[in-house]
Amino acid sequence: LEHCDMFYSQVAMQTAKNVKDFYGYTPLMRAVTGQHYECVEILLRARADPNVKMRGGNGQRALHFACDNFDLK
């Protein structure tokens, strides 16, 4: 998991963890919708805000995407 540690250190140093892209998604939302479990964990450990609302649409948050995209067995 060396690559995860490197990703975490890069994310932790960034101030743009909650910045929305052109489509209104934060990095956490992108990681959730792409089912990148390790990246989701890293972003949350780096204090990415899971309560940021998506721009436009119906104001979904990362948790909404998780419920729609993760296999919660």
Side-chain angles (χ1 to χ4, degrees), residues 1 3-8 10-12 17 26-48 70:
L1 298 178
H3 66 284
C4 289
D5 291 334
M6 184 173 24
F7 178 70
Y8 176 74
Q10 290 174 352
V11 168
K17 291 183 286 277
T26 63
L28 182 58
M29 291 174 183
R30 289 288 182 193
V32 168
T33 57
Q35 297 185 355
H36 301 291
Y37 306 110
E38 291 175 351
C39 293
V40 169
E41 183 178 347
I42 289 167
L43 285 161
L44 290 172
R45 284 193 299 158
R47 304 180 74 104
F70 284 160

Side-chain angles (χ1 to χ4, degrees), residues 1 7 9-10 18 20 22 36-37 54 57 67-69 73:
L1 298 178
F7 178 70
S9 64
Q10 290 174 352
N18 299 310
K20 297 172 188 166
F22 179 79
H36 301 291
Y37 306 110
M54 182 179 175
C67 292
D68 290 342
N69 289 287
K73 291 182 180 180

